[in-house]
Amino acid sequence: MDADDVLAAKRAEFVLDGAPPLAPPEAHAVAPPRTPRPVYLDGNSLGALPRTVPGRLHEVVTREWGRLRIRSWSESGWWTAPERVGDRIAPLVGAGPGRVVVGDSTSVNVFKAVVAAVRIAQQDAPGRDELLVDAATFPTDGYIAASAARLTGCTLRPVPAPELREAIGPRTAVVLVNHVDYRTGRLHDLPGTTATAHQRGARVVWDLCHSAGALPVELDAHEVDFAVGCTYKYLNGGPGAPAFLYVREELRSRFDSPLPGWNSHAEPFAMAADYVPADGAARGRVGTPDILSLLALEEALTVWDGVELAEVRAKSLALSDFFLRCVAAYVPAGRVESLTPGAHGERGSQVTLRCAGAGEVMEALIAREVVGDFRQPDALRFGLTPLYTSFADVAHAARVLGEVVA
Ligand SMILES: *Cc1c(COP(=O)(O)O)cnc(C)c1O
């Protein structure tokens, strides 16, 4: 399977096996499959380091900051980096240019998107005062949504994601959903939920933290209103890399950010007393961008050059199928239970196994250089990142898991 893998050469573009990070990737020189140590199955939490990032960061620090200093805001393109990097992420989430901006954390972007979406829904129909949130959401989205609800006079109603479509009613202003459940890896129905919300006059905000870079996402095609996502998971931008915010083209002029910092002004350097929002993606900005992280992300995104998301998806599904087969073969019966949906159409890019003593089991796995993570109360999570996870990796991980639980 590794020999037939069309993405196999991509692995050499990452620092995984203790090889020096500055060495250029040996293009297409795919070594015979072997199992490197550690087997890294936690790219859904922190993506691996692309090889060219340290060199680029060194240049940014020594030349752009060290020598050019203030001139770099214009000469090195620092000022426009949030929109430029947004345009690099755009094709990975099915967005046209000028619709994605990069900056702040996912948490902050959830706040901007939810409040702005409620404002639009309430302009269209003042009586809408309900905010639906996926009941199993990543906690930060729920906390932020609760605050956004208080600020906008809405009631927050948690609903299990598969029941969200039915729950959307005449009072619903906004629906906030995680595209992929971070715990189970379940993929939620973005086209269907979005279409139903629109038929019933509500707006949608999708959180793509576990889908951007993991599977094809079609934001423009499905007329998603707002979307946010992380860049340090499947997009490999580095720890704390800035998040992204997508605003639908038709809502661009109606996007009323609740955090209208000076970077989102039409003419930031006019230093005007009155606020006039910028026209394009820059309207989603707040303050001065986090340049070092942003430019590390920009370099990290070059690994996507020439990659077809359909191939990423096909490999991801093949990896999860194969991993589950290996788990069934190597792990004594009854010791783990897969929470990963059986149907491909409901599966993200991770495998989650429920296991007694999961915390200790994961510690033992990590001690044996199989790195996944543990989520309360009893889940083992294994992220499958098709650009650098091999079939040999997941076979080895299942074998070690079998030994550990035995
Ligand atoms: C990882 C993740 C986040 C993280 O938010 P930060 O603000 O970057 O800490 C938020 N939402 C979801 C669904 C996530 O998976």
Side-chain angles (χ1 to χ4, degrees), residues 6-316:
V6 293
L7 293 172
K10 279 280 153 191
R11 186 183 179 101
E13 295 183 29
F14 291 87
V15 177
L16 289 165
D17 320 339
L22 293 172
E26 291 137 46
H28 306 288
V30 185
R34 63 190 183 93
T35 307
R37 301 289 188 273
V39 169
Y40 189 63
L41 301 177
D42 213 1
N44 54 340
S45 232
L46 178 65
L49 172 66
R51 261 179 212 286
T52 60
V53 169
R56 173 64 183 136
L57 265 183
H58 182 75
E59 183 190 355
V60 171
V61 171
T62 55
R63 194 180 78 86
E64 298 183 9
W65 180 14
R67 288 207 289 279
L68 298 179
R69 291 179 287 269
I70 195 83
R71 288 163 54 191
S72 277
W73 282 107
S74 52
E75 289 176 29
S76 305
W78 287 359
W79 185 262
T80 50
E83 295 80 44
R84 185 176 71 243
V85 182
D87 280 343
R88 273 208 99 117
I89 291 174
L92 299 173
V93 293
R99 293 164 207 186
V100 178
V101 70
V102 178
D104 309 310
S105 61
T106 300
S107 303
V108 172
N109 285 307
V110 168
F111 179 75
K112 295 178 211 168
V114 170
V115 173
V118 171
R119 287 175 174 174
I120 290 170
Q122 292 182 340
Q123 270 168 14
D124 292 339
R128 292 188 181 267
D129 62 357
E130 181 184 68
L131 180 50
L132 300 185
V133 61
D134 145 19
T137 183
F138 188 94
T140 204
D141 302 55
Y143 306 154
I144 300 274
S147 174
R150 286 205 303 280
L151 281 165
T152 55
C154 285
T155 304
L156 185 71
R157 183 149 73 95
V159 177
E163 295 160 30
L164 271 169
R165 276 177 88 167
E166 265 107 291
I168 301 168
R171 300 189 62 164
T172 309
V174 170
V175 188
L176 168 64
V177 206
N178 290 184
H179 194 194
V180 173
D181 183 297
Y182 75 100
R183 224 188 260 111
T184 61
R186 179 178 293 274
L187 174 65
H188 295 131
D189 177 11
L190 180 145
T193 310
T194 303
T196 303
H198 288 165
Q199 277 154 21
R200 300 185 186 167
R203 300 293 175 174
V204 291
V205 179
W206 285 92
D207 183 327
L208 309 179
C209 281
H210 286 269
S211 56
L215 48 102
V217 182
E218 295 294 339
L219 295 178
D220 285 349
H222 299 300
E223 305 186 326
V224 166
D225 300 302
F226 292 89
V228 301
C230 282
T231 64
Y232 52 78
K233 294 172 182 169
Y234 292 89
L235 297 177
N236 316 302
F244 65 89
L245 170 69
Y246 164 89
V247 182
R248 181 180 168 189
E249 181 74 355
E250 291 89 320
L251 298 181
R252 188 173 162 154
S253 61
R254 300 183 66 194
F255 170 40
D256 178 9
S257 172
L259 293 172
W262 74 293
N263 274 229
S264 71
H265 195 282
E267 287 184 74
F269 292 98
M271 303 283 173
D274 294 332
Y275 180 71
V276 180
D279 215 7
R283 192 179 286 204
R285 288 171 66 163
V286 182
T288 305
D290 192 345
I291 292 297
L292 300 183
S293 292
L294 188 54
L295 299 186
L297 167 63
E298 181 173 37
E299 182 61 32
L301 289 168
T302 61
V303 300
W304 293 94
D305 290 349
V307 171
E308 293 287 339
L309 281 168
E311 287 170 357
V312 171
R313 179 63 169 160
K315 181 175 173 189
S316 162

